[in-house]
């Protein structure tokens, strides 16, 4: 708790901790062949890798017919979203890139090198051989937008803080307006046309964003001194956590119409979203509760002693610290939700996984399961890994876990 | 066990039955105590922590409370601003009786400031934000006024240059001085200190005590749980010796140090004064 100011050395010399250096052979010896059983383990592992990887790689590079992916790339990415409206998705992405660039410059000013590396990704995508010229241009715009955001943030970090917060708060509604449309400016695109990675992403983003405040309320409710509120929160959390997501999704599809008046018709996508939100809120609540419990009692006592009310104490003192502590857990929850949304395929939505089965039903691509499933697994993996990597960097940058 | 020798002249009724205008005047003039504890009892489950505490503190007095670990010093001082409840007796602070009523609790908490052993600064807020939060949110001061007052207080405790740092970047002594400034920012009439220097390294104790001595000399009413006998000798009007949930002995510092009446007081003093 009591961080001291770093001591100043009069000599002005700061010595770096000694680093161990190895030659390649030395490293191999130390890490893989130091004892006879390590050697054995290493050899067995290498053998298994060989058995698994060799045929896989041979298949990937010489036998697989990736035509099915190339031809259907747009379906995988956005489903049936009308071609002439796809620019709206791009606008949403460019805005995201701009916001991310701005946030990067303001919050992670020292992580320049990783930033430059990340910028390389859209450019690499633009260079892919099989994408359309339209996408190519857009990936370049994407990179430029990120760069402009970063430049603005670096130029005026103090002045840009508020616009950044506004952008972050406004992004979610803007995203929905862009994708869904708003008459008469933007044509409405019905949700049954949303599909592929777009739908997967939207389900995960909407799920996390809406369940976040719900989860906070439930977590606070569980600690509440009002018995009814407390009981409701506990019942809700424990019931939802006790059933698998698929059942919640089916419930949302089949039961929701029972509660709603007949004139309100909500479509499949909205029902699935409702199911995901309800499901995710229970887990969110438990994560937030963990963060709340980690705040020492002295914090609320100090706030009360100053005359702050219970609400003010929660809002200004407890929640901000609790949420900061649970950022890594929230990112993890987002990643698992991102993957779990694949279950909506079971209730008939055309998310990434759902699109896979429609693609496989096309007569010219029958029997291409390997290619298709490997491809979508790769997409899931790339996104999940990128997010978990980013969250680890974020943790370091925010100094979570230190005080 | 010998009876307590603490004499309290005022009864709760005397304060509560006086009409409100006269009440605050009498407290202001020192005719009535600003803090009165009358036969306060508290239990933790079956454990009887406070066993009939009587104490009166007049405006501008500095009170030092000392005694062995577990004797109930913290528990008692925390009942004064209702961080702890008590089951029997009465506590009247600045003419307001502490009851279950939320409004009274909030009133009393606005009149009392508290400094904790562990500082309890808000780690996610800067020093300036720590000090201005309550004046802005509770007293509804405009931000500019709150910051101006905060800056004066930070100067008073000797760390104006740290205003934009976070608590984690300060030394223990600096943190505790921020905590004092934070409590003073609400312009309390009474300051409560619970072992404010016990978590500090020896070289930082003095900087905090100096601030407290200056505060005492400026006329602040202070209740201080501490074993810093130098502080007590310098500024205390009265000292109370707590043991096993009771006040065993009380009196001005000269008397406590040179002529303690009770064996337990003598024994304890001989232990801490080496
Ligand atoms: N929340 C609690 N529940 C049960 N017992 C408690 C609780 N808080 C304190 N106690 C007990 O009450 C007694 C008095 O505690 P208190 O903290 O008031 O002592 P203290 O005089 O301040 O001691 P110290 O010098 O160690 O701070 C101790 O025996 C302690 O174990
Ligand atoms: Mg104590």
């Amino acid at each position: 708790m009591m961080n001291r100011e770093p001591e100043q050395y009069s000599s002005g010399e700061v010595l770096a901790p000694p680093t161990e250096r190895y030659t390649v052979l030395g490293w191999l010896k130390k890490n893989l062949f130091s004892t006879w059983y390590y050697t054995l383990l290493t050899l067995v592992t290498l053998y298994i890798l060989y058995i698994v990887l060799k045929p896989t790689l041979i298949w990937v590079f010489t036998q697989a017919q990736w035509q099915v992916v190339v031809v259907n790339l747009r379906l995988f990415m956005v489903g049936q979203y009308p071609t002439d409206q796809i620019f709206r998705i791009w606008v949403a992405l460019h805005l995201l890139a701009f916001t991310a660039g701005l946030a990067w410059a303001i919050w992670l000013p020292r992580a320049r090198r990783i930033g430059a590396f990340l910028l390389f990704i859209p450019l690499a995508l633009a260079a892919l051989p099989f994408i359309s010229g339209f996408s190519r241009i857009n990936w370049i715009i994407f990179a430029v937008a990120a760069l402009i955001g970063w430049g603005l943030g670096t130029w005026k970090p103090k002045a840009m803080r508020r616009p950044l917060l506004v952008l972050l708060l406004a992004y979610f509604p803007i995203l929905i307006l862009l994708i869904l449309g708003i008459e008469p400016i933007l044509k409405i695109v019905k949700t049954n046309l949303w599909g592929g990675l777009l739908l997967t992403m939207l389900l995960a983003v909407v799920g996390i964003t809406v369940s976040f405040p719900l989860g906070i309320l439930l977590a606070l409710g569980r600690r509440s001194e009002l018995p009814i509120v407390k009981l409701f929160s506990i019942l809700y959390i424990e019931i939802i956590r006790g059933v698998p997501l698929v059942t919640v999704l089916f419930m949302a599809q089949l039961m929701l119409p029972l509660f709603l008046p007949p004139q309100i018709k909500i479509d499949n996508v909205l029902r699935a979203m409702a199911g995901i939100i309800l499901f995710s809120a229970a887990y969110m609540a438990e994560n937030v509760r963990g963060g709340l419990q980690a705040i020492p009692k002295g914090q609320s006592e100090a706030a009360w002693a100053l005359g702050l009310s219970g609400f003010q104490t929660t809002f200004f003192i407890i929640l901000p610290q609790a949420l900061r502590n649970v950022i890594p857990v929230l990112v993890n929850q987002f990643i698992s939700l991102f993957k779990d949304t694949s279950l909506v395929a079971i209730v008939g939505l055309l998310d990434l996984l759902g699109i896979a089965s429609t693609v496989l039903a096309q007569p010219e691509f029958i029997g291409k399961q390997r290619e298709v499933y490997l491809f979508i697994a790769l997409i899931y993996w790339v996104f999940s890994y990128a997010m978990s990597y980013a969250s680890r960097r974020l943790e370091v940058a925010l100094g979570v876990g230190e005080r | 066990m010998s009876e307590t020798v603490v004499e309290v002249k005022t009864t709760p009724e005397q304060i509560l039955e006086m009409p409100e205008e006269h009440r605050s005047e009498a407290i202001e003039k020192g005719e009535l105590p600003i803090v009165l504890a009358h036969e306060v009892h508290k239990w933790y489950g079956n454990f009887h922590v406070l066993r009939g505490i009587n104490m009166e503190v007049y405006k501008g007095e500095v009170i030092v409370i000392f005694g062995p670990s577990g004797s109930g010093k913290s528990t008692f001082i925390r009942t004064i601003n209702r961080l702890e409840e008590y089951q029997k007796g009465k506590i009247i602070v600045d003419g307001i009786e502490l009851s279950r009523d939320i409004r009274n609790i909030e009133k009393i908490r606005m009149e009392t400031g508290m400094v904790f052993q562990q500082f309890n600064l808000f780690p996610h807020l800067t020093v300036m934000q720590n000090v201005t939060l309550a004046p802005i949110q509770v007293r509804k001061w405009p931000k500019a006024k709150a910051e101006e007052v905060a800056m004066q207080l930070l100067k008073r405790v000797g760390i104006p240059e740290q205003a934009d740092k976070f608590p984690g970047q300060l030394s223990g002594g600096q943190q505790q001085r921020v905590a004092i400034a934070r409590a003073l920012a609400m312009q309390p009439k009474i300051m409560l200190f619970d072992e404010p220097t016990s978590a500090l390294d020896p070289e930082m104790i003095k900087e905090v005590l100096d601030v407290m001595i200056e505060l005492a000399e400026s006329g602040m009413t202070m209740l201080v749980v501490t074993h810093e006998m130098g502080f007590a000798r310098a500024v205390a009007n009265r000292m109370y010796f707590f043991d096993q949930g009771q006040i065993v002995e009380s009196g001005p510092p000269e008397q406590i140090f040179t002529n303690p009446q009770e064996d337990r007081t003598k024994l304890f003093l001989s232990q801490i004064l080496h």
Side-chain angles (χ1 to χ4, degrees):
Chain A
M1 280 242 343
M2 289 196 299
N3 290 351
R4 301 273 143 64
E5 277 162 329
E7 287 168 50
Q8 302 291 317
Y9 293 103
S10 47
S11 66
E13 281 280 331
V14 178
L15 290 181
T19 43
E20 295 180 86
R21 285 181 190 280
Y22 296 107
T23 58
V24 175
L25 272 183
W27 184 89
L28 284 177
K29 177 130 182 28
K30 172 151 193 282
N31 290 287
L32 300 178
F33 302 103
S34 53
T35 59
W36 67 267
Y37 47 87
Y38 267 32
T39 310
L40 190 65
L41 211 60
T42 304
L43 292 178
V44 170
T45 313
L46 284 177
Y47 182 65
I48 294 175
L49 277 178
Y50 175 77
I51 294 183
V52 176
L53 279 183
K54 188 184 164 203
T56 311
L57 289 177
I58 289 178
W59 177 80
V60 165
F61 288 108
T62 62
Q63 294 158 353
Q65 293 173 329
W66 294 108
Q67 202 53 22
V68 59
V69 170
V70 175
V71 169
N72 292 299
L73 195 55
R74 192 167 61 81
L75 268 186
F76 281 117
M77 291 301 126
V78 298
Q80 307 275 6
Y81 206 88
T83 323
D84 58 344
Q85 301 296 319
I86 285 184
F87 71 92
R88 286 152 57 169
I89 301 173
W90 281 112
V91 172
L93 281 176
H94 299 334
L95 189 62
L96 182 68
F98 175 79
T99 314
L102 195 59
W104 196 277
I106 290 177
W107 289 334
L108 305 172
R110 275 172 300 176
R112 248 182 210 214
R113 221 178 301 153
I114 310 164
F117 175 73
L118 287 180
L119 203 59
F120 194 68
I121 295 175
L123 295 176
L125 287 172
L128 285 181
F130 49 79
I131 65 166
S132 67
F134 182 60
S135 307
R136 213 182 294 282
I137 293 171
N138 269 297
W139 279 122
I140 293 171
I141 301 180
F142 182 90
V144 172
L147 207 58
I148 294 177
W150 184 81
L152 262 180
T154 312
W155 180 45
K156 289 231 158 106
K158 276 253 157 70
M160 282 296 150
R161 232 159 237 275
R162 194 164 286 248
L164 172 63
L165 285 182
V166 173
L167 255 178
L168 282 175
L169 285 179
Y171 185 76
F172 183 64
I174 293 179
L175 172 74
I176 300 297
L177 282 185
L178 272 170
I179 305 290
L180 184 64
I182 172 170
E183 294 287 0
I185 313 161
L186 285 173
K187 211 167 86 190
I188 297 278
V189 177
K190 290 237 183 69
T191 54
N192 58 2
L193 298 179
W194 302 4
L197 183 59
L198 172 71
L199 180 58
T200 297
M201 275 291 177
L202 280 174
L203 287 174
V205 171
V206 172
I208 272 297
T209 318
V210 181
S211 68
F212 184 56
L214 285 181
I216 292 177
L217 288 180
L218 282 168
L220 292 174
R222 195 167 183 163
R223 286 160 51 107
S224 162
E225 279 161 18
L226 307 171
I228 301 279
V229 174
K230 183 169 180 156
L231 185 70
F232 172 81
S233 308
I234 293 181
L235 277 180
Y236 181 87
I237 294 169
E238 294 306 332
I239 289 176
I240 296 285
R241 273 163 32 104
V243 295
L245 175 56
V246 194
T247 56
V248 178
L249 286 175
F250 273 115
M251 290 288 185
Q253 295 294 325
L254 305 171
M255 308 276 286
L256 220 48
L258 290 184
F259 308 130
L260 296 170
Q263 56 275 30
I264 297 185
K265 281 221 171 61
I266 57 171
D267 58 64
N268 284 354
V269 170
L270 276 184
R271 283 185 223 173
M273 267 184 192
I276 288 174
I277 290 167
L278 293 178
F279 182 79
S280 175
Y283 286 85
M284 189 69 84
E286 284 302 274
N287 288 337
V288 173
R289 190 167 73 110
L292 290 173
Q293 272 169 343
I295 310 297
K297 193 100 187 30
Q299 289 290 306
S300 28
E301 288 180 350
W304 292 331
L306 285 167
L308 270 75
S309 67
F311 173 79
Q312 288 170 329
T313 302
T314 306
F315 189 77
F316 292 111
I317 306 302
I318 306 301
L319 265 188
Q321 295 185 58
L323 294 183
R324 204 182 90 149
N325 287 344
V326 297
I327 287 175
V329 192
L330 294 187
V331 176
N332 274 343
Q333 197 187 335
F334 182 74
I335 295 171
S336 53
L337 192 64
F338 171 69
K339 291 179 292 186
D340 286 350
T341 54
S342 54
L343 287 169
V344 299
I346 296 179
V347 293
L349 299 196
L350 296 179
D351 74 320
L352 211 42
L353 197 65
I355 286 284
S357 35
T358 59
V359 164
L360 288 170
Q362 295 167 353
E364 64 269 45
F365 295 122
I366 283 176
K368 292 285 175 281
Q369 276 90 342
R370 273 187 197 154
E371 286 85 348
V372 167
Y373 287 118
L374 196 65
F375 174 66
I376 62 169
L378 183 71
I379 295 187
Y380 277 116
W381 179 79
V382 166
F383 277 93
S384 305
Y385 183 75
M387 285 186 281
S388 83
Y389 177 78
S391 88
R392 261 176 289 144
R393 305 298 314 187
L394 192 68
E395 253 172 77
V396 175
L398 289 174
V400 176
E402 297 161 31
R403 256 171 174 268
Chain B
M1 200 179 291
S2 57
E3 251 320 293
T4 53
V5 287
V6 183
E7 41 177 305
V8 168
K9 289 165 290 193
T10 330
T11 64
E13 290 71 30
Q14 259 174 288
I15 303 182
L16 294 175
E17 280 163 14
M18 185 175 281
E20 221 162 307
E21 326 75 90
H22 300 296
R23 206 193 287 167
S24 38
E25 207 187 303
I27 292 172
E28 207 54 37
K29 282 192 200 148
E31 290 162 5
L32 284 180
I34 191 165
V35 178
L36 175 70
H38 177 80
E39 280 302 313
V40 175
H41 288 262
K42 178 181 172 66
W43 285 263
Y44 281 123
N46 285 329
F47 177 49
H48 200 169
V49 236
L50 297 181
R51 304 194 287 169
I53 301 293
N54 290 294
M55 188 183 288
E56 53 183 6
V57 181
Y58 289 86
K59 189 165 184 298
E61 282 191 314
V62 176
I63 301 299
V64 162
I65 296 170
F66 68 110
S69 181
S71 56
K73 307 179 298 288
S74 299
T75 309
F76 172 67
I77 203 169
R78 288 156 58 89
T79 56
I80 294 176
N81 64 352
R82 241 333 159 98
L83 287 183
E84 301 283 352
E85 295 189 345
Y86 53 93
Q87 281 83 33
K88 239 178 95 186
K90 277 201 161 71
I91 294 183
I92 301 170
V93 178
D94 196 25
I96 310 163
E97 189 189 349
L98 276 170
S99 58
R100 262 170 222 289
D101 191 344
I102 292 281
R103 274 169 309 160
N104 274 358
I105 295 179
E106 288 188 349
K107 260 194 240 161
I108 285 174
R109 285 180 180 164
M110 283 169 74
E111 305 302 338
T112 54
M114 187 164 210
V115 176
F116 301 83
Q117 183 174 355
Q118 297 298 341
F119 326 140
N120 294 348
L121 292 181
F122 307 130
H124 62 302
L125 301 179
T126 63
V127 166
M128 181 53 95
Q129 289 166 333
N130 263 278
V131 180
T132 54
L133 179 71
I136 293 174
Q137 297 302 332
V138 182
R139 291 232 188 261
K140 307 290 177 203
W141 287 358
K143 192 169 169 222
K145 176 182 175 192
E147 288 188 343
E148 198 187 311
V149 171
M151 209 57 207
Q152 281 165 9
L153 285 169
L154 288 176
K155 278 188 195 135
R156 186 168 167 194
V157 301
I159 37 176
E161 72 285 355
Q162 313 286 0
D164 293 325
K165 288 203 185 156
F166 285 91
Q169 297 167 300
L170 304 184
S171 74
Q174 291 171 328
Q175 292 193 45
Q176 193 61 300
R177 286 185 281 157
V178 173
I180 295 174
R182 178 177 72 177
L184 289 176
M186 283 295 282
Q187 306 190 325
K189 294 186 179 160
I190 302 154
M191 284 285 286
L192 310 172
F193 293 82
D194 189 3
E195 305 208 33
T197 55
S198 306
L200 295 177
D201 290 346
E203 72 270 20
M204 297 172 187
I205 291 179
K206 185 171 177 300
E207 64 189 48
V208 172
L209 286 181
D210 285 346
V211 169
M212 290 169 61
I213 290 173
E214 186 269 327
L215 193 59
E217 284 165 352
S218 76
M220 176 64 79
T221 310
M222 293 164 65
L223 276 80
V224 186
V225 176
T226 187
H227 292 140
E228 291 295 332
M229 291 303 153
F231 172 80
R233 227 184 288 256
V235 291
N237 296 89
R238 236 166 319 114
M239 299 176 68
Y240 287 83
F241 177 58
F242 269 55
D243 193 16
Q244 298 180 4
Q246 286 182 313
I247 296 174
V248 174
E249 180 164 2
S250 75
E254 317 81 76
Q255 181 195 320
I256 297 283
F257 288 125
T258 54
N259 188 20
Q261 304 294 306
E262 300 286 323
D263 289 341
R264 277 189 283 174
T265 320
K266 283 179 203 160
L267 182 65
F268 184 76
L269 281 173
S270 72
Q271 282 164 355
I272 62 167
L273 294 175
H274 313 299

